[in-house]
């Protein structure tokens, strides 16, 4: 572990150090970098904290996770795993997903990223909004996403048309970074634009049902299923 800063106050007996200005903490074993204008690190507990323009880079997986927040924490779980926590004004970026929320927690043991308070998540041309969002990783890729309580998904088709899904609980499954299957449970509502074989839109279809699922292929809706009772309306486009 390497600790760099403009000023460092190191207390050897207690095993902790404080950094004032341009903190740079690099853990080469767990492959994570933590930066900020103020930081704290305890070598006994391996707890680290950064604040004031804080951000981190977690590169233990195949794709690096860039994370920013007012305050970032790294907490040791055991010799192998750790937790990363971010508070207030959180933003993160990976090549396959990007998001913003009020607070976030990433557990390397469970390989799950938890987003709390007004979370918004982006994947390709999809935007996902929920009361709470959980992102489940499989090795270095996103396996599936769970949105709880209130959920809303929107897909941009062009500059003025958007496919939309809404309900109480939504699960989205990805393959190689692409959305492939979505299921909505509880008060499922949808707005989507079916297309002819030549790609021209037929109209705007609005549906309401208890459950809804959709299969996607090549970033387009391939199949839509609704059950058990369905209310639907098709409005022709002008």
């Amino acid at each position: 572990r390497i600790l760099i800063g403009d000023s460092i106050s190191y207390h050897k007996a207690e095993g902790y150090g404080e950094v004032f200005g341009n903190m740079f903490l690099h853990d080469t074993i767990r492959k994570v970098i933590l930066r900020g204008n103020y930081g704290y690190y305890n070598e006994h507990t391996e707890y680290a904290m950064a604040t004031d323009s804080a951000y981190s880079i977690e590169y233990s997986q195949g794709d690096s996770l860039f994370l920013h927040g007012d305050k970032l924490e790294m907490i040791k779980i055991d010799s192998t795993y750790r937790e990363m926590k971010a508070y207030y004004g959180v933003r993160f970026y990976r090549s396959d997903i990007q998001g913003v929320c009020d607070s976030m927690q990433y557990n390397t043991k469970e390989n799950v990223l938890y987003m709390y308070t007004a979370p918004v998540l982006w994947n390709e041309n999809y935007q996902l909004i929920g009361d709470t969002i959980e992102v489940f990783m499989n090795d270095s890729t996103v396996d599936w996403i769970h949105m709880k309580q209130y959920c809303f998904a929107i897909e941009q088709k062009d500059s003025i048309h958007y496919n939309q899904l809404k309900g109480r609980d939504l699960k989205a499954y990805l393959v190689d970074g692409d959305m492939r299957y979505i299921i909505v449970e509880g008060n499922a509502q949808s707005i989507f634009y079916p297309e002819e074989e030549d790609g021209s839109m037929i109209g705007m279809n609005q549906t309401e049902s208890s459950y809804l699922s959709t299969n996607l292929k090549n970033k387009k809706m391939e199949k839509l299923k609704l059950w058990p009772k369905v209310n639907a309306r098709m409005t022709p486009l002008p």
Side-chain angles (χ1 to χ4, degrees):
R1 297 173 188 85
I2 303 167
L3 184 62
I4 301 172
D6 289 348
S7 300
I8 297 177
S9 175
Y10 177 59
H11 304 263
K12 185 175 182 180
E14 292 83 2
Y16 74 89
E18 288 184 283
V19 182
F20 303 90
N22 294 314
M23 173 195 178
F24 180 91
L25 174 64
H26 189 187
D27 189 329
T28 59
I29 296 176
R30 292 182 174 81
K31 298 182 179 180
V32 62
I33 295 170
L34 185 62
R35 304 202 66 168
N37 282 314
Y38 171 78
Y40 172 93
Y41 177 67
N42 189 309
E43 61 185 2
H44 294 331
T45 62
E46 296 185 24
Y47 168 84
M49 183 273 292
T51 187
D52 190 3
S53 303
Y55 72 92
S56 71
I57 304 171
E58 207 276 355
Y59 62 97
S60 62
Q61 304 293 334
D63 189 11
S64 297
L65 172 68
F66 297 84
L67 174 64
H68 166 79
D70 288 351
K71 179 182 178 181
L72 303 182
E73 292 181 315
M74 290 194 304
I75 303 167
K76 178 184 176 182
I77 299 176
D78 53 35
S79 59
T80 306
Y81 302 106
R82 69 188 176 282
E83 283 184 344
M84 295 184 66
K85 295 184 178 181
Y87 303 95
Y88 316 122
V90 177
R91 301 190 294 273
F92 71 89
Y93 174 87
R94 278 175 44 129
S95 61
D96 50 356
I97 58 169
Q98 305 83 41
V100 298
C101 57
D102 179 73
S103 56
M104 192 190 85
Q105 176 179 323
Y106 176 56
N107 188 309
T108 60
K109 186 174 185 178
E110 299 174 355
N111 219 1
V112 181
L113 189 151
Y114 301 91
M115 302 172 63
Y116 302 105
T117 311
V120 183
L121 193 67
W122 290 275
N123 169 260
E124 296 290 342
N125 57 334
Y126 277 91
Q127 176 173 298
L128 307 175
I129 301 171
D131 184 71
T132 300
I133 298 179
E134 299 174 353
V135 182
F136 294 80
M137 309 286 188
N138 182 10
D139 294 328
S140 61
T141 60
V142 177
D143 191 15
W144 64 288
I145 300 167
H146 189 190
M147 300 162 59
K148 299 180 179 180
Q149 303 301 320
Y150 164 81
C151 54
F152 180 70
I154 184 167
E155 176 199 14
Q156 184 174 12
K157 293 182 66 66
D158 56 32
S159 60
I160 59 173
H161 298 103
Y162 299 84
N163 288 333
Q164 301 168 58
L165 297 174
K166 179 183 176 182
R168 286 200 297 268
D169 188 279
L170 184 149
K171 297 182 179 73
Y173 297 85
L174 290 76
V175 177
D176 297 328
D178 291 332
M179 206 85 70
R180 293 294 180 86
Y181 179 73
I182 298 174
I183 181 168
V184 181
E185 300 177 89
N187 193 27
Q189 301 176 47
S190 74
I191 296 175
F192 68 98
Y193 297 86
E195 298 178 352
E196 299 281 10
E197 291 184 0
D198 61 3
S200 59
M201 295 183 188
I202 300 172
M204 182 182 71
N205 197 351
Q206 295 174 270
T207 70
E208 292 185 11
S209 59
S210 297
Y211 300 92
L212 177 154
S213 68
T214 178
N215 296 79
L216 307 163
K217 186 176 181 180
N218 297 325
K219 303 178 183 178
K220 292 184 178 181
M221 184 182 296
E222 185 180 40
K223 180 182 178 181
L224 182 70
K225 180 181 177 181
L226 307 105
W227 73 95
K229 184 180 179 181
V230 182
N231 293 320
R233 181 177 65 194
M234 174 72 79
T235 302
L237 295 181

